[in-house]
Each structure stands twice: as C-alpha cells, then as structure tokens.
Amino acid sequence: MKFLKILIFLFYFSIVHAKYHNNVFNEELVIKELNNNFVNTFFQFTTQWNYQTYNNDLLHTDFLSRSISELFLHYDIVELHITLSNGLWKTESWGFPIESAGSGGELYAWFKNHLSEDDIKKQWIELSEALSGLLCASFSFVEETNTINPEFSFRPTSSWNVPLNSSFLRYTALPREVVCTENLTPWKKLLPCDSQEGFVSLLNAQHIYSTNYHSLGIHVRHICIDQTCSNAILESKQTVNLVHDLKLFGGSEWSIRKLFGQGLNGVCAMSSSSKIFLDITDKDFEISPQPENVILSKRGGSESRYAEFDVRKLVQESKMINIAIINKKHKTIPITRPPPLFAKRFLLGTGKESGKIVNQITNSHYASLNIIILENIPWFVPIYLHTLKVKTRNGEIKPSSIKYIPGEQRKRPYYLEIALTIPSKTIIEISIDFDYIFLRWQEYPPDANHGQYIPAAIISAMLPMALNYTSAPIEASLYAESFNATRPSYFLRIHTEALLINLPTPDFSMPYNVICLACTVVALAFGPLHNMTCRILVLQKKDETKKSFLQRLKEKLFKKKEKSE
Amino acid sequence: MGILSNPSIGAHEKKTKYITIINKYSNLFCFLLYLIGFGWFCALSFPQFQSNTYFSENALLPGLVLSELKMDSVNLAKTYLNELEHERTSHKSNIPYPWMQAKMKQIGLKTYIHNFTLNYPFGGGKRFEGKNIYGILRGPRIGATESIVISVPYRPPNTAHTSITASVPLILAFADFARRQKYWSKDIIFLVTDQEQLGMQAFLEAYYGEDENNILDSGTLYGKAGSIVAAINMEIQDFDVDFNSLKIEGLNGQLPNLDLHNLVVKLSHKNGIPIGYKTKMSEHPRDDVIANFFSLLSMMWTQSSGVPNGNHGLFHKYGIEALTIEAVKRETSVKNNNVHHKIMALLKIIEGISRSLNNLLERFHQSFFFYVIVSADRFISIGDYMPSVGLMSASLLIKSFLLWLIANNKNEDDEQENENKEEEDKIVIVRKSKTTIDYIKIGTIILCSHIVGVGALLITTNKFIHDYLFSMNIPTQTGIFYSIIFIIAVSLLMPKFLRLNVIDAQYLNIVLLIELGTMLLSVSMLNFSLGFFLCVFITPFAILINIQENSRRNLLKFLIRSLIHLIIHPITVLYGIICLLSYIAFNEMNFNYIVDKSFTATIDAITFAVVDSLIYGNWLFDLTFLILLPCWIMLWILNFSKPIEKKNKDKSE
C-alpha cells in the first residue's frame, strides 16, 4: 500500500514536473505613476505551452485555453494580436505606453506561408467571425473593405522557420467598437485560473470601466525551439492596460484597494510566478508594505527603479494583500517633459465638400528619428495622393518612401504607408486631402448623424534610446525581461486618435420625404411652365367656312401621305 | 390646372382680351400679393400662428440628471472671483494669463495658449496681437473624437463693453467640478477668448484650418479635441443675477438648433433664474399682439444685419450649434451679499447643459434650424413665415411673367399687322421679332451694371488699394468714402453711355424683376429677416416701374421719378437708416447735428462692413455690391430710356 502511494506520488510528481516544463503560467502587474495624478496599471498573464510533448495535438491543452489553440489549428495562424480598448492613451502627457492600442478594436494576424492568397482571404474572414463569437466583439464587421496588409509597420514577432512577408499579414481596425463588460468576461475565461483567484480577481468590471483608459489585449505567437520548427512553443500573452485618474478618488495617495475596490486575495495556483513591479523612479513616497527588493534597471541610457513584490511570499503573511502609497510629498504642479515622439491627428476644413486629414507628429528628441506612418482610410473617404504634404515650420520634407494602394469604393480601403525622417526638435504635419461623398442610403450606420470613424494612424519608430520607453523587448515573454534589456534600438509603436467624420447625411425623417415629394411636384410643373414660356407659338388663321367631316378626314389622310413621301 | 395645360391653344382674340386685362390690372394684382404677404407677416404676431417650443431630440433628457454640485464649487467660484478682481488691478488691458493658466492646470485641465495676429487691412501692415487661453478636459469615456465648448469672452478693465468679470470664475469653478466626474463622454474645451469676436474667429479658424485668410493670421492650436458638437458662450455680468438673456443670432443670420435654445430655457427655468429673450425681463402675455409684433421685429432687426450679437455667432458657420447666455445683473445700489443660491443656479445650468450635451449620441439634426423667436417659449417655424416673403417676392416674378406676356403680345400685334398686309392667310411665326429687340444692348447693360458692382467690391476690399491709400497718407475712412463716391458717380453716369428705347427697356425690366425676385427668395431662405426687410422695401418700387409712361415731355414727372430713384440708392438708404436710428437714440440733439454725425457714421458703417466681410465672411456687404447696386443701376438706366417715337423716327430716316 505504501509502495503504491509512493508510486502514485512519483507518477503525479512526474506529471506535474512535465507540466511545469511544458506549461508555464506567469502573472505580472506593473504599476507606474504617470504625470498629473494618473496611475497606470498593466497586467500581463503569460502562458507558454510546448505542444510538442503532446504530439503536436493542439486540441489537448492544459493552461492555454483550448479556444485559442483551436484558432491556430483551424486557421493556420502563426501569430495573432487582438486589442480592444476604450479611450485614448495620451502619449504627450503620459509618456509611451507599455503596449499601444488604437481606440476600439484592432486585429492583425500572420498566416502560415503555405496558404495561398485566396485561402488567407477566406481564413481571415472566418477567423474574425470566430473571434467575434469568442470575445463578444463586432469582429464580424471585418471584411475585405477594411482589411489591409501593411508592408513596413508590422513585423512578425514569432520565430517561425520561414520568414514571412507582408502578404501573409492581415490588419484591420474597428474604431467604432465600444468595449465593455461583455468583452471582459470572455477574456477572463481564457485564463487558466478562475476570475476569483490571483491577479484576475482585481479586474472588476465596475472599477475597470471607470478608468480613463482601458485596453484588453490577446497576443498569441509561435516560438520555434529548433531550426525546423518541429519543436515549438505556443505563447499567449493576455494584457490589461489601465489608467486610473486619482482625481476621482479625491487625493493623490492611492492603494490597490482604492484602485480596484478590493485587495489582492492571493495568487493563481497554477502560476509559476506572481509579481508586482512598482515604478519608483524619482518618486518621493513611502510604500506600505516595504518592498523586499528594488530592481535597478539600466536600459539604453535611462535608469529606472522598480520595487518588486513577490505575491507568492506576501500571501503567506496575510490573506489580503494591499500595496499602498503613503506620505506622498505634496508637490505643486509638476513640469512635465513630453516623450521624444508623440502625435496628434485631426480633421481640417469647413463645409461638406472636401477636407484634410492631418497628422501632427512631434520629435522632441535632440536627434532626428526615422518613422513610419500607416494610414488605413475607409473607402468612403477618398484621399488624393498628390495632395500629400509633409510640412515643417521651415519648409517641406520629402518622404523617403511611400507605399500606396488606392482604395476602391465598396471594395478596398485606402492604404498609405510613409517612411520619413523627422529632424530633431521639429513638429511635422502630414496632410492629405479628401472628399466628402454621399453613401447609399442603406450604407449609413444606425445613428447616422453621429458620424463615421476613420481609424487611428499608426506610427512606428526604432528609437535609438530608451528614454521614457517602457515596453518589453519584442522577443521577451515576461515583463520582467525588460529590466536591463539594453538593445541597439527600441521598437516603438504609437497610435493616434481616431477621427470622427460627418459625411453629408440625408435627413432620415418625415420632412425629408416631404421635400422629396415637393421637389417632384415642382419638377412636374416645370415642364409645362417652360413649355409655355419658350414655345414657338404658331398661329393658324381660322377658316371662314366650316369643312364637313369627310373633307377634314380627306385632308388629314392626304397630309399624312405627303409626310410619308 | 392652368399651369399644366397647353397654352398654345386658344384663339388670338381671346388672348388679346386677356392681355388687356392683365395689362390693366397687373400692378394692382402684384400690389395685392405684396399686401397679402405683408399682412401674413403681421398675422404671425397672433398667438394662433405661433407654436410652443418642444424638444425633438430625446437624447438630450433635459434636467433629468440629479445635480451633484456641492457648496464647495460655489465657494470656489467666489474665491476665484476675488482672486481675479485682484489680478485685474495689475492687468488693466490684457488677460491675466499666468493666473488663469495656473488655475486651469491646478484644476487638471490640459492648458494651451493660442496666439493670433490681425494684419489690419487698412493700416498698411499694422498688426494687432491677441492671445486666447483654453483648457481641455479630456472625457474619460472617449478617445478625443468629440467635444463641446464652453467659452467666455474676457474683457479687461479698460474695455468699452459691459463688464463680465464673473464669467471666468464661474466656468473655472465648473471645470473643477467637472474634472472630478467620470461620466464625460465628450471632451470639454474651456475657452477664454481675447479681443471679443476676433479671438473667437481666430480660434475657430485655427481649429478648422482656413489658411487662405491672410488678414487674420490664426496661428496654431497645439491641443484639439475632435469634432465640436455644440458650444455655450457665457457672459456673466455679476453673480447677483437678475435674469438670463439668450442671444442666438449668428453670422449671416444663422441660428442655432431650436433644441439647444429650448434646453437652455428649460434648465434656466428649472434652476429658478428667469429667462428672457432680448434682455426683456418680464415676459409679455401671450395675447399681447403688439408686444409680440415688436418682439418679432426686434429679433429680426438683429438677425438682418448678419453681424453676430455674441461670440456664439461665429460657430454656426462651422456647423456647430451655439448660443450665448447673458446673465444680466440686478440693477440695485444695495450690494447683495447672499448670492450663493444664484451662483449655485448658474453652475447647475451649466452642469445641466453639459450633461444633456454629453448624452447626445448624434449631432443636432432634429428640431428647427430656421425659425423666429417670439418669446422664450414660443416660435414661428420656417413653414409659417416663408409664405409672407414668398408672396412678396412672387409678386415680382409674376409681374415679370406678365410683362413678358404683354411684351410678346405687343410684338405679335405689330408683326401681325405688318404681315397681314402682305399675305393674308399665311401661317406666321410670331415669337421673336428680330428687328425690334436689341438683345446685345440689354446684355451689355446687365453686364456693365454688374461689372460696376464687382468693381466696387474689388476697390473697397483690395489690399493693394488699401496699402496704396495708406502710403498716400489718406485715412481708411476717407479712402473708402472716395471709392464709394467714385462708384456712385460711375453708376449715375451709366445712362449717359447706355440708353435703351422703351421696348428694349421692357425686356431689361423683366430681367431686373427676375433677378430681384430670385435674390429676395434665396436671401430670405438663408436669412429670413434680411430677406423680409429687403422685400418690404424693394417690392413696391420694383412693381411701380412703368416704362410705357416714360417720356421726357413731362419734365416734372421725370424729375420726381429721378429723385425717388436717388432716394432708394443703397447708400442713401443706409444713410437714411442711420439718421433715423440716431434720431431715435439721441432725440434731444439738434437735427442738423444728427444729419452731420450720421454722415460720418455712414462712412464708418461702410468701413465696418468691409472689415466684417474680410475677416468674418459676412456677406451683407458683398450682397449689396454684387446684386443690389447693379439692380439699382439697371433701374436708373430704365429711368432714362428713350421714348418710342424717337426710335421710329430713326428707323424711318
């Protein structure tokens, strides 16, 4: 009996051990105070799964949600990125985000290289429909009319055995999407732990949706371990990026309990690590409880300090964990330095004839920066490439490269990618003209007078320094890997705001119909009136003697004959 | 339906009979139409013809939200006012920017300063500079795609206008409250403008990027907040408010959506501050027809000039619904120290408006954009007032049609007589007579008179001419005055070179009537008030033109007619109006003095009209020179048309 017990224990241990190696789950929470009384909290749940040990059977999942792995099985995806966000990350005042997302929904995926163009087209639509069901989001609106394959702005982050070019990439953005609880709940279900356990328990809908910015993300990719990619890891990163407004809490001191409505009640049992990193660079406040470890991260010329909390250890001390900022030195209004690169986007022009889309990009760095701007403009906003201008205060800049695929009405969006160099300490304005057009009456969305959205522009850059830069390196799986991760350059992607454009909208109401009717009547009356005024009047002298009926008939017949001749 | 029937059928004799009747009664008929139109307008002052205001847009949900304002906001407003009063002692002629910027930043708004420059068109490169200051409250529920504007014109202590110092503290106190709320789904721009309307125009131009205008260099805005849905402009004279007055008339007579007007009225009532239209505190009773009539006229008088009566008026051009709330202070010598509830009411009004606008999913598109307000809760919609203008201007079009019929018939008669002699039973084509009508000459006259109009516009608004005048050391007013004199001289001399005989004049008259009628109809569609006043004035004269009687023999008649023509010259009319207004305003003055002063006032008015047209895009000045003046010139030429006998003699020779 004892032997059996030992055997069972050994067996169990070996499974757990195997699981531990082939299935890794990590939870991380990064907290950073932003300028002007805002706090950024960033959750990252990383699941890594070496499916090789399961005979490449993607249906046999443990920690990773089967619904995600099934997508990879059915749609031959190498890499998948989904973000659903509400609000706007204000780069100018908040600095660079850890993970950038455009407002609304954003989706892009890399497909396997054995697929043909038509296959990808089909798989892409099917994939978006599946995701629409999976996340209760309106990805079912993804069509050929709003999909592009950008050439420069996106690179695969997977290590796949064959380099993939942009023809295997599909990108779309749905700026109209409103993100709410119905997206959060299915998102939580993709995690291995129940929503009551671990860091996920902090994500209460009520508190999340009273933040100034929130963004849900799912990023899944393949990581090949060997050359042929016969041994690969499927890695899923689920992220939540939140910005809390301390003004709403009435005071500049805060704690986890204040931000999320409750303390942290422990860790996910499946997790191999559960850590909280609190940015304490240049901050003069006290933390309760005291962090056991302070990480000094030197990265690309900038230094930052993080207080590290291992929640696994903290849990042993108390049931509820609350990290609080106390005794904050009351600073007056801080002078904030904007990050090296930020952008704004707006519409210019009056009237409903033509307008201008402008991206105003500021380089406040002391060296020039190379950037790529990606525009994905819907088909109902026809732009004119010849009006593309890149202006600075002193003159115009010539873009080093322009990639443009003109849109087609009701078929294809306008895709424009511009690569250029911004000189140091310069504001550039990239403007392009467009026309307002009429849509067919069924094409107006509900609440037509609200307007239509133009998705955000995406600005990508390789920064030479990591000043203000907080993202993890591309190859990293955990946020912790970003500490002391000095690289030759740092890849940055930021989104501008989306635009709301008011196309000429017919009045979908009773007076409109009345006007149409009245116009028809006027048009009917115009004919005779015109006839009356412009006609050549022919006067015929009346005959003195009245002709008999027969005579008249004869005359008529005779005339007709004459005519025919 | 007569219109739809074929007119070519019908005996000739019958036609002639009609023609004689038409000829006889056309003037009477047109006059009758004119009187009915006018009568229709007068009838609008009866309450039966007015409608009560109501909300079309359900999303506004006016006054349904529970106010969360506390007493601390009121105290904050008072503190801000005290601080601002202190700042004003050291900033006599400009905005206390450091104070305002610090407050906005403290509240937690993203604060920007907007510089603009006016290259004054008449100063030979004279420049005026101004600075707006604005703070953006970023709505947490939106990604900077939509916004509302709460604006305040700042008036420094040395201003000539009514002081509205309390406005800035009020909106700052509201901003502080609003910043602590999480429900904003639109960004709110708190804007303090410098230099009255100029600052607002510069802000809007910078926001929407109109770079063609080199007179107003609108500068750059470094912070924007998507498309602006609506704007509220506040002019708070004092916290001790007597009543709120609404200003709605915008540039070129554009009005805000009636729903916005109703919203403000409802919220003001709800919070216990009476609201009046046109600074009239006591609401006149519904049945007081005379009061209704004058209330109507007072709104239309403001609207007709096309000059906005507040900063709100400039928003309309950009499709933004906007109005001004003017809180008029109580006229008492005793200082009321207990103004807390008034401040609270004002704050609640702003809160209510902002929250209602915040609820809007769609832009304002329901309710009315064209209306006339009788009192704060009653209005007349476009469908009810258009018939009056329609009838009046239709009388011109109908008259032109009748003249066309008569003229055609006359030719027909003439030719028929001729042709009858030659060949009795021949079918004849009678529409045109090639010999009698000189189309080229008529065309030349139409073209020339319009060219004079365009020329006048170019002379008065051209930058090079202004610069030249400046370099010659001639003041702007004088320069413009001489240009106008020159234009008048040219227009008076036109008949010397271009004269028509009576038959051609008839055709010119038809063209003139069509042009006037079309112009009046279209103007009244855009700016009803202007269209109406023009109709009332122009139509009788236009109907009365009667060319047949025109002959030089009766010198007295001719002189009287010429005199009438001179009196209705646009410039003379302007002078007359100014005389009349100054006589009403300063009736204690000497008559000669008024006549003299009005003369300079007229020149000033023209100068201001030029400035308005150049900077703000007011089209009243352009309309006058492009259509009214050419029409007058044509009228003047008609007056000098040659009698028919002379023409016959020429022919016979």
Side-chain angles (χ1 to χ4, degrees), chain A residues 229-489:
Chain A
C229 215
S230 57
N231 191 2
I233 291 172
L234 194 58
E235 179 199 272
S236 157
K237 268 195 262 186
Q238 279 183 250
T239 58
V240 183
N241 200 0
L242 304 169
V243 176
H244 309 261
D245 184 357
L246 292 182
K247 278 254 178 188
L248 300 187
F249 301 106
S252 55
E253 291 182 359
W254 53 269
S255 64
I256 286 190
R257 186 176 291 151
K258 240 182 181 175
L259 298 182
F260 297 102
Q262 65 179 71
L264 190 56
N265 61 3
V267 296
C268 173
M270 260 73 102
S271 70
S272 51
S273 78
S274 301
K275 284 185 177 166
I276 298 177
F277 303 102
L278 171 63
D279 189 328
I280 49 169
T281 320
D282 300 330
K283 298 281 189 305
D284 42 357
F285 48 60
E286 287 172 34
I287 312 161
S288 153
Q290 281 287 319
E292 52 177 318
N293 187 17
V294 173
I295 301 168
L296 178 68
S297 165
K298 284 187 185 171
R299 195 181 183 194
S302 71
E303 235 180 60
S304 41
R305 284 158 69 235
Y306 289 90
E308 184 188 12
F309 298 91
D310 192 340
V311 184
R312 272 188 178 278
K313 283 181 191 162
L314 287 176
V315 147
Q316 289 156 5
E317 290 158 23
S318 68
K319 275 273 173 226
M320 251 330 172
I321 297 146
N322 183 31
I323 293 167
I325 295 304
I326 45 170
N327 293 337
K328 208 171 186 177
K329 304 253 167 33
H330 199 75
K331 273 198 208 162
T332 46
I333 310 138
I335 294 166
T336 53
R337 248 187 77 187
L341 188 72
F342 57 91
K344 279 175 193 139
R345 182 172 166 89
F346 44 84
L347 283 177
L348 293 183
T350 46
K352 289 275 185 269
E353 195 195 344
S354 62
K356 206 176 246 189
I357 300 172
V358 183
N359 289 313
Q360 191 187 65
I361 305 170
T362 309
N363 173 12
S364 62
H365 188 51
Y366 56 79
S368 59
L369 291 175
N370 295 322
I371 58 163
I372 295 164
I373 299 119
L374 169 67
E375 287 273 15
N376 167 21
I377 292 174
W379 60 261
F380 48 80
V381 184
I383 56 170
Y384 296 103
L385 188 67
H386 73 276
T387 59
L388 177 76
K389 273 191 192 110
V390 187
K391 274 194 284 191
T392 65
R393 194 165 281 184
N394 305 323
E396 284 195 27
I397 293 181
K398 220 176 161 287
S400 42
S401 169
I402 294 175
K403 178 96 186 147
Y404 177 62
I405 299 176
E408 237 180 286
Q409 279 197 6
R410 296 172 182 88
K411 281 197 185 127
R412 187 172 66 192
Y414 291 80
Y415 152 65
L416 175 66
E417 220 167 5
I418 311 160
L420 52 85
T421 310
I422 314 184
S424 63
K425 304 262 178 208
T426 322
I427 301 172
I428 60 162
E429 279 195 353
I430 303 170
S431 65
I432 192 157
D433 290 4
F434 67 91
D435 277 350
Y436 286 91
I437 60 164
F438 273 111
L439 301 184
R440 291 179 188 152
W441 70 272
Q442 307 101 312
E443 281 165 351
Y444 287 95
D447 302 317
N449 281 288
H450 177 65
Q452 251 107 336
Y453 285 91
I454 301 177
I458 297 174
I459 295 159
S460 318
M462 293 302 279
L463 295 178
M465 70 294 146
L467 185 72
N468 213 319
Y469 185 76
T470 47
S471 312
I474 291 167
E475 74 283 356
S477 303
L478 302 180
Y479 187 77
E481 287 170 45
S482 69
F483 302 135
N484 293 312
T486 301
R487 299 281 185 282
S489 60

Side-chain angles (χ1 to χ4, degrees), chain A residues 23-36:
Chain A
N23 269 301
V24 189
F25 175 67
N26 287 291
E27 0 177 57
E28 286 170 302
L29 168 60
V30 186
I31 307 175
K32 190 186 178 195
E33 262 202 17
L34 304 172
N35 294 319
N36 302 322

Side-chain angles (χ1 to χ4, degrees), chain B residues 637-649:
Chain B
I637 292 173
L638 282 182
N639 187 35
F640 284 89
S641 50
K642 284 177 276 189
I644 193 113
E645 295 87 9
K646 208 178 171 186
K647 185 208 106 189
N648 281 353
K649 266 179 213 164

Side-chain angles (χ1 to χ4, degrees), chain A residues 38 87-88 90 92 209-212 245 247-248 344 346-350 393 427 447-450 453 497-498 500 502 524-525 528 532-539, chain B residues 3-4 7-8 12 15 106-107 112 138 140-146 179-182 207-209 222 224 227 318 361-363 365 401 404 416 427-431:
Chain A
F38 287 99
L88 177 74
K90 283 115 193 158
E92 189 185 356
Y209 293 109
S210 49
T211 52
N212 261 30
D245 184 357
K247 278 254 178 188
L248 300 187
K344 279 175 193 139
F346 44 84
L347 283 177
L348 293 183
T350 46
R393 194 165 281 184
I427 301 172
D447 302 317
N449 281 288
H450 177 65
Y453 285 91
E497 49 267 71
L500 186 63
N502 282 93
L524 281 176
M532 204 150 92
T533 45
C534 301
R535 202 183 171 103
I536 296 172
L537 301 179
V538 179
L539 191 78
Chain B
I3 283 175
L4 299 173
S8 65
H12 176 241
K15 215 168 165 187
Q106 219 168 47
I107 289 167
Y112 303 90
R138 294 288 181 192
R141 305 253 147 277
I142 198 166
T145 50
E146 280 177 285
R179 177 65 186 78
R180 285 179 278 120
Q181 310 306 318
K182 58 184 178 186
Y207 204 98
Y208 288 100
Y222 289 101
K224 292 191 182 184
S227 74
Y318 300 91
L361 180 62
E362 297 183 81
R363 300 173 72 86
H365 65 284
F401 181 62
W404 171 260
Q416 225 149 24
I427 297 162
V428 281
I429 298 164
V430 287
R431 192 188 159 238

Side-chain angles (χ1 to χ4, degrees), chain A residues 537, chain B residues 7 10-20 409 412:
Chain A
L537 301 179
Chain B
H12 176 241
E13 297 90 70
K14 231 180 178 180
K15 215 168 165 187
T16 359
K17 211 171 106 192
Y18 281 139
I19 296 299
T20 34
N409 200 257
E412 211 172 290

